[in-house]
């Protein structure tokens, strides 16, 4: 069953934008090339930089999560942003309105 991951990150200050975008563009490019990725998109909503990615399964998402540009971004994440995440199995990928509602209702804070 496909695995959906929804993130929402907010910069700690505008001066962190160059560092954030450097990590974000590299991590998104990695996600789109990652084995098992069925789709990855991003959107700015209410000051949060959101990503919505769909994976063939949780294992594929976990392999991406712990490697390459994404791993480098996560190592420095707490110095430039805060955020919340949610991941779950689903029959189909949600659209942005549904994904944002799910994130608002169920996402948990990103921990160190």
């Amino acid at each position: 069953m496909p695995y959906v991951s929804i993130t929402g990150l907010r910069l700690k200050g505008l001066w962190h934008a160059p560092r954030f975008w450097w990590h974000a563009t590299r991590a998104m490019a990695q996600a789109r090339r990652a084995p098992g990725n069925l789709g990855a998109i991003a959107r700015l909503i209410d000051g949060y930089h959101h990503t919505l990615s769909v994976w063939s399964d949780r294992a594929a998402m976990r392999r991406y999560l712990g490697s390459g540009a994404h791993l480098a971004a996560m190592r420095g994440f707490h110095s430039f942003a805060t955020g919340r995440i949610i991941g779950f199995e689903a029959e189909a990928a949600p659209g942005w309105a549904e994904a944002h509602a799910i994130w608002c209702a169920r996402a948990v804070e990103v921990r160190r």
Side-chain angles (χ1 to χ4, degrees):
M1 182 173 294
Y3 189 83
V4 175
S5 176
I6 307 166
T7 65
L9 308 177
R10 177 171 260 166
L11 297 179
K12 290 183 175 179
L14 191 55
W15 56 90
H16 292 295
R19 186 171 178 209
F20 168 79
W21 283 112
W22 186 79
H23 282 295
T25 56
R26 293 176 68 240
M28 182 59 79
Q30 177 193 353
R32 289 180 173 153
R33 292 188 315 266
N37 181 270
L38 304 176
I41 53 178
R43 184 170 285 179
L44 182 66
I45 303 172
D46 298 330
Y48 281 85
H49 299 274
H50 287 278
T51 62
L52 169 59
S53 59
V54 182
W55 302 86
S56 58
D57 54 38
R58 185 177 179 163
M61 186 276 302
R62 300 280 302 165
R63 284 189 298 275
Y64 159 75
L65 185 72
S67 66
H70 186 271
L71 180 59
M74 291 309 299
R75 286 186 173 143
F77 164 77
H78 287 288
S79 67
F80 59 84
T82 62
R84 297 182 357 206
I85 59 171
I86 179 76
F88 55 93
E89 290 183 338
E91 291 293 325
W96 269 114
E98 183 183 2
H100 187 251
I102 291 167
W103 180 83
C104 288
R106 299 179 26 211
V108 297
E109 187 175 337
V110 176
R111 294 173 287 177
R112 289 184 184 225

